[in-house]
Amino acid sequence: MRVVIAEDLALLRDGLVRLLSANGFTVVEAVGNAPMLLRALVRHRPDVAVIDVRLPPRFTDEGLRTALEARRLVPGLPVLILSQYVEQLYARELLSDRSGGVGYLLKDRVGDVDRFVDAVREVAGGGTAMDPEVVTQLLTRRGRDEPLATLTPREREVLELMAEGLSNLAIAARFQVTDKAVAKHTNNIFTKLGLPPSDDHHRRVMAVLAYLQASPTGDRPTA
Amino acid sequence: MSRTRPRPARDRAAAFRRASDPGHLVARPVSHAVAVPAELVLNAVTGLVALALLMLLVLGGALAPVTGPAPLARASALARRLAVFHRRRAGRSTPRRPPTTRRTVLWLAVHSVTGPAPVAATWAMLAALDYVFFRLHPVERSSLNTFAMSLSIAAIAVVILLSVFLFRAGQDRLARLLLDPPPSPDARIRELTEARAALADARAAELRRIERDLHDGAQAKLIAIRMHLGLARGSRDAGEMLRMIDEAREVAGEALTDLRDLVRGIHPPVLADRGLAGAIEASALLCPVPVTLDLDLPGRLQPPVESAVYFAAAEALTNVTKHSGAARAWVRLRHAAGMLTLTVGDDGRGGARRDAGTGLRGIENRLSAFDGSLTVSSPPGGPTELIMELPCALSSPKISPC
């Protein structure tokens, strides 16, 4: 799997190259600033890009902006944003074109190598990998009259793990139940949220997150 | 707004407005219609009270040799209370300095005339009408005459309605002019010195807090990580070694969380990335009460001002969440003629007071460091509106390199 890395700190960049190479990825280019990143993405069209939010020259959110720009030029280009902090605003912007293959993780998560590599693979496969912190914020800030309030605690847990990019099988393993039980929960969740069920779990996660981010003021789009 | 893509963000704000038509916008004209007669009566009553107080003051002054200073003091205390009441209505809720007696008396004199004036004018106009139609030239009943008279009365009503708004503005201006002490250089210097001292204190306290947080948090955790890695290196037992490494990794995660919280408290990264409007949008997203945004800021502010206004807005939204019991909130941001105006409102229970907690006081202190002001309008039953005003310049939007 071909990957482009953008990280301005050389120490972290080398670490990421080493980490991903050791886990079966081919790093086609590792860059240190935003203009180089855009060129690299358009030239290589990698299977996935791992990008730091904050990049030179101005050290604000260039990484994110470049990623959004690249996804406009190369539709559906899978990008995984790494950041020192999570911001709902950025999660929403990443999800705004409603096509899969996006991830937004705290930089800390690279410390948990296996889960991080899983997340990169998930994004490369067109799925979504949102940081647990993003998911928790999305779920807790909803008001009382939201359809989410009708979920049972277990259903909420399932929804959180789905949004983090886990498959039904992985969720089943986490809870030590059968994947049929998980499928039942997910069907309930989608019925309650008014979303048509689908066999493709990536798209379901997208649907959930799109649903959550489409109602920023808490107004339900449709009944 | 965001420098590279100002449009979408503004469209989003417009979509928010459309999606959630806030009740307060609809309710306003209705409340005005009720407010006009109430306004007239209140002004007339306070005007008459002012006249009575004025006479009491004169009488008290004249009779002071006989009765002693007590009646005069009582009358002037009452006059001051009336003045403070009026100044609050004029939009200044915390007088920094009480008005002098001379100014209070002057205001009483003016107000005893201007207060009842609209009622007197209405009465005069109706009396004139009565005179023209019934005394001067007694008219026979005819539909034309009825029409002419109805038209006249309607015209009088319209004139009164229109003049009340102008009158209210003039009245408020007068109250401000007479009751707010003139900005003498000495007083101004004292004010600025106090604001600077408060700012310096706040900065020093902030630095101490950061130092303590680093010392007790991240620094201590880094030491623990080093210790665990040292133990792992020296260990002969593979299981023990793995446990130490896991422990070190866990502590490193906690240290990162500590540092992240600390950074957010000093200067939220989204504020640096997206400026004031973006950062306010981000904190509105986290607010459990749905927030309608109307943010229009075509450039960036000076970083210290930006930060002060952001923390003031965040504090205001926190207040909405914690105390208001509101179903909706709204934030409006404008910059015009060198003045930044930020309004944070909610449809909650109202009754917010400056002296009730540290929240509003904190906002006021943040703003006063930059010569800004806070106006609180929060009648019992709501709605609550905090209006923050800050004189500041706007830098032109930077050209984004990407």
Side-chain angles (χ1 to χ4, degrees):
Chain A
M1 227 175 253
R2 296 161 61 254
V3 52
V4 162
I5 291 171
E7 164 63 59
D8 57 302
L9 283 177
L11 197 66
L12 258 177
R13 187 169 61 229
D14 294 347
L16 279 172
V17 172
R18 209 184 286 190
L19 192 157
L20 290 175
S21 302
N23 283 279
F25 291 87
T26 313
V27 178
V28 287
E29 196 167 346
V31 299
N33 66 47
M36 280 174 72
L37 170 63
L38 191 62
R39 276 198 298 276
L41 290 178
V42 175
R43 186 165 61 232
H44 300 296
R45 307 209 165 201
D47 297 312
V48 59
V50 178
I51 300 170
D52 181 11
V53 156
R54 193 169 273 203
L55 286 177
R58 282 199 293 112
F59 294 99
T60 60
D61 55 349
E62 273 94 338
L64 176 71
R65 287 168 193 261
T66 308
L68 295 175
E69 173 77 17
R71 273 167 72 85
R72 265 192 294 277
L73 295 173
V74 186
L77 178 77
V79 295
L80 173 63
I81 299 287
L82 290 181
S83 173
Q84 295 285 16
Y85 52 94
V86 294
E87 200 59 72
Q88 295 301 333
L89 199 62
Y90 298 169
R92 233 172 69 189
E93 286 172 0
L94 271 171
L95 289 163
S96 62
D97 63 7
R98 291 174 185 250
S99 64
V102 289
Y104 183 41
L105 294 183
L106 276 176
K107 265 191 187 167
D108 311 12
R109 311 292 175 204
V110 296
D112 192 344
V113 175
D114 292 343
R115 281 190 73 177
F116 174 68
V117 170
D118 282 349
V120 180
R121 289 216 177 90
E122 180 73 27
V123 172
T128 310
M130 285 291 139
D131 198 88
E133 206 167 299
V134 177
V135 177
T136 318
Q137 281 180 8
L138 280 173
L139 290 176
T140 49
R141 69 162 286 271
R142 300 282 116 185
R144 273 164 289 132
D145 51 348
E146 291 291 318
L148 277 169
T150 62
L151 299 185
T152 64
R154 175 46 66 95
E155 285 165 358
R156 273 175 78 96
E157 284 169 6
V158 170
L159 182 61
E160 282 186 38
L161 292 178
M162 279 195 329
E164 285 171 30
L166 265 64
S167 67
N168 278 5
L169 227 68
I171 297 172
R174 185 75 64 89
F175 291 145
Q176 299 189 323
V177 295
T178 61
D179 58 334
K180 270 207 180 109
V182 175
K184 213 179 108 215
H185 285 312
T186 55
N187 279 335
N188 286 345
I189 292 168
F190 288 115
T191 313
K192 286 181 179 176
L193 297 184
L195 292 161
S198 149
D199 290 337
D200 181 349
H201 77 277
H202 297 328
R203 286 180 57 189
R204 289 199 315 223
V205 174
M206 280 312 297
V208 175
L209 284 171
Y211 171 83
L212 291 175
Q213 59 97 26
S215 52
T217 59
D219 290 323
R220 252 192 274 179
T222 47
Chain B
M1 216 62 255
S2 67
R3 282 130 354 244
T4 45
R5 301 182 301 112
R7 225 2 78 202
R10 212 167 294 164
D11 287 350
R12 258 203 310 279
F16 284 15
R17 277 198 298 283
R18 280 196 299 278
S20 51
D21 173 32
H24 71 285
L25 289 179
V26 183
R28 198 150 285 178
V30 179
S31 70
H32 271 317
V34 178
V36 167
E39 194 80 24
L40 276 176
V41 171
L42 185 68
N43 260 318
V45 169
T46 56
L48 291 177
V49 172
L51 190 64
L53 282 172
L54 196 63
M55 290 196 305
L56 273 179
L57 279 174
V58 172
L59 215 64
L63 295 180
V66 188
T67 58
L72 183 63
R74 189 162 298 172
S76 73
L78 280 174
R80 197 157 293 157
R81 277 176 77 168
L82 185 72
V84 167
F85 169 73
H86 245 270
R87 186 156 69 166
R88 191 165 292 165
R89 275 166 42 83
R92 295 285 174 99
S93 38
T94 45
R96 282 190 189 153
R97 291 181 297 277
T100 59
T101 312
R102 201 169 57 86
R103 288 180 158 269
T104 310
V105 170
L106 194 60
W107 176 77
L108 277 180
V110 174
H111 187 66
S112 63
V113 176
T114 56
V119 172
T122 314
W123 177 81
M125 279 194 270
L126 288 174
L129 197 71
D130 174 61
Y131 185 74
V132 167
F133 275 93
F134 300 111
R135 311 266 170 86
L136 192 65
H137 169 61
V139 288
E140 65 279 17
R141 277 172 176 276
S142 80
S143 54
L144 189 68
N145 275 326
T146 310
F147 175 71
M149 207 161 108
S150 312
L151 202 66
S152 309
I153 291 178
I156 288 175
V158 168
V159 167
I160 294 296
L161 277 177
L162 288 180
S163 62
V164 159
F165 292 107
L166 285 175
F167 185 75
R168 168 78 204 262
Q171 190 88 327
D172 287 353
R173 232 197 140 100
L174 210 65
R176 260 179 239 174
L177 205 69
L178 287 176
L179 294 179
D180 280 336
S184 79
D186 276 356
R188 185 79 183 122
I189 289 170
R190 203 162 46 240
E191 214 174 274
L192 290 176
T193 311
E194 276 166 18
R196 196 183 56 180
L199 187 66
D201 282 353
R203 282 281 147 82
E206 186 73 4
L207 279 178
R208 275 197 303 277
R209 184 185 66 79
I210 292 168
E211 186 270 334
R212 206 171 43 237
D213 283 359
L214 280 174
H215 184 265
D216 298 347
Q219 205 175 348
K221 284 179 179 130
L222 284 171
I223 294 170
I225 294 165
R226 241 178 99 85
M227 195 182 73
H228 279 98
L229 289 176
L231 284 172
R233 200 171 191 283
S235 171
R236 311 220 172 266
D237 175 7
E240 173 80 4
M241 192 156 76
L242 278 178
R243 219 170 43 105
M244 285 297 148
I245 291 176
D246 277 350
E247 194 113 331
R249 205 172 62 173
E250 188 126 316
V251 178
E254 289 168 18
L256 277 169
T257 309
D258 283 0
L259 284 172
R260 193 158 41 233
D261 291 347
L262 193 64
V263 167
R264 213 186 277 273
I266 299 170
H267 191 75
V270 67
L271 185 61
D273 293 353
R274 297 295 173 90
L276 185 57
I280 290 177
E281 193 180 347
S283 42
L285 276 177
L286 291 179
C287 185
V289 179
V291 184
T292 308
L293 294 171
D294 177 8
L295 312 173
D296 191 6
L297 194 65
R300 289 290 291 257
L301 301 167
Q302 292 297 313
V305 179
E306 195 171 74
S307 167
V309 179
Y310 167 75
F311 279 110
E315 180 79 50
L317 282 177
T318 309
N319 279 348
V320 170
T321 311
K322 276 198 199 153
H323 309 297
S324 74
R328 279 190 186 289
W330 53 92
V331 179
R332 191 182 138 88
L333 180 69
R334 286 288 182 281
H335 185 272
M339 185 68 88
L340 184 81
T341 311
L342 176 72
T343 310
V344 180
D346 66 73
D347 64 354
R349 64 178 73 96
R353 287 202 337 270
R354 246 170 257 256
D355 42 1
T358 54
L360 290 180
R361 184 80 65 195
I363 292 176
E364 195 168 35
N365 285 345
R366 279 183 200 283
L367 298 174
S368 71
F370 297 94
D371 214 12
S373 68
L374 168 71
T375 309
V376 183
S377 152
S378 184
T384 297
E385 267 199 337
L386 306 188
I387 300 167
M388 304 166 220
E389 285 178 309
L390 206 81
C392 61
L394 209 60
S395 69
S396 59
K398 287 177 191 150
I399 308 299
S400 177
C402 56

